[in-house]
Amino acid sequence: MHYLTQPPWLSLRFLAVWLRNLRVWRKLMIPSLLGNFGEPVLYLLALGYGLGQLVGEIEGMTYMVFLGSGIICSSAMTGATFEALYSAYTRLTMQQTWAAMLAAPMNVDDIVLGEIVWAATKALINSTAILIVAASLGLVADLRALLVLPVIGLAGLCFAAIAMIVTAISKSYDFFLYYFTLVLTPMLLLSGVFFPLESLPGAVSAGAMFLPLAHVVLLVRPLMTGGVPDAAMLHLLVIASYAVSAYWIATALARRRLIR
């Protein structure tokens, strides 16, 4: 049982997994982009223009600007999550792609890391597209918004690693509903994506600071609106800690599932 406690073994072999997934995705690139990119943009336009007329300004900015930064963060979370859940689980169980990879000079650690990095890449692609749309709508203050991209990359690793834990223990696609209902949806609603954290009750607002998405929003929103994030290193540390811890746990659980 030592493989459950030993740290993940890092190797550049994970790049082969990443490249394999990239080549497959290129064949379905257009419908994939439309699906992952269309819904967040629809939320941005519908809520931004609709509720924006009623809400007015929030924290010194229009609701459209406020929402735009939140949608980019939520898109990174959902993009990484869907890829690390549904797509990775399909490769693990239905297609038996992981089993085929293990027949090559590759181990479970390489596969898990490759899947996580690929899911983070998908999140970065989706959020970059939305950032371009936000800039075209005048929702970006200046070039500091480019610093959003490395933050989104780190956030993608974080949410992909958390989702990979669920994938490693799931027995069917239905199990994912527990994660969406009990974890993802509350985090989406309580992390400052749609309304300020300050508008929540004190205890709820304080509890939201234990959620990684809240720290992503607190980094991204100032960068998009011409400001400087407060306590940036603390936010980055929280996100990175979630990513590393979840990767370790996901790797251990995947070993338990695949190594008998």
Side-chain angles (χ1 to χ4, degrees):
M1 300 293 288
H2 66 281
Y3 57 82
L4 296 178
T5 56
Q6 68 183 22
W9 181 264
L10 298 178
S11 167
L12 290 178
R13 289 190 297 265
F14 81 89
L15 291 173
V17 180
W18 181 89
L19 185 59
R20 180 264 173 203
N21 291 343
L22 174 63
R23 287 173 173 170
V24 172
W25 176 75
R26 284 172 57 188
K27 301 176 182 178
L28 305 170
M29 180 173 60
I30 300 302
S32 176
L33 282 176
L34 289 176
N36 293 318
F37 164 72
E39 184 177 352
V41 171
L42 182 61
Y43 270 107
L44 174 61
L45 296 177
L47 294 179
Y49 284 118
L51 286 179
Q53 302 297 320
L54 303 175
V55 174
E57 289 195 351
I58 297 180
E59 297 181 351
M61 66 189 81
T62 65
Y63 184 65
M64 188 73 165
V65 173
F66 179 90
L67 181 64
S69 53
I71 289 294
I72 287 177
C73 299
S74 65
S75 176
M77 179 181 72
T78 55
T81 298
F82 271 88
E83 184 65 28
L85 287 180
Y86 290 97
S87 298
Y89 185 78
T90 299
R91 289 187 283 268
L92 169 64
T93 58
M94 303 302 176
Q95 298 175 347
Q96 291 294 308
T97 305
W98 288 30
M101 290 177 178
L102 289 174
M106 186 174 294
N107 58 36
V108 175
D109 299 33
D110 302 323
I111 298 173
V112 172
L113 181 57
E115 292 283 2
I116 289 174
V117 174
W118 168 243
T121 302
K122 286 286 299 293
L124 185 59
I125 292 172
N126 296 343
S127 294
T128 300
I130 297 172
L131 180 61
I132 293 172
V133 172
S136 68
L137 294 173
L139 307 181
V140 172
D142 52 40
L143 289 177
R144 270 176 287 189
L146 292 176
L147 295 175
V148 165
L149 298 180
V151 175
I152 291 300
L154 178 60
L157 291 173
C158 170
F159 295 118
I162 296 172
M164 194 60 65
I165 295 175
V166 182
T167 296
I169 63 175
S170 295
K171 299 302 181 183
S172 70
Y173 293 105
D174 294 336
F175 186 80
F176 299 154
L177 294 176
Y178 294 105
Y179 179 62
F180 279 100
T181 302
L182 300 177
V183 178
L184 215 65
T185 299
M187 182 157 53
L188 179 64
L189 296 176
L190 300 177
S191 296
V193 172
F194 301 106
F195 42 81
L197 289 175
E198 293 76 15
S199 64
L200 298 172
V204 178
S205 179
M209 295 311 297
F210 290 94
L211 304 174
L213 182 59
H215 294 273
V216 179
V217 173
L218 289 171
L219 284 170
V220 168
R221 183 161 286 137
L223 293 174
M224 286 188 61
T225 56
V228 177
D230 294 327
M233 292 306 298
L234 173 61
H235 299 314
L236 290 171
L237 180 61
V238 171
I239 301 168
S241 298
Y242 266 100
V244 172
S245 301
Y247 167 50
W248 189 319
I249 296 170
T251 302
L253 293 173
R255 289 177 188 150
R256 185 180 66 178
R257 180 168 185 152
L258 295 171
I259 301 175
R260 300 299 182 183

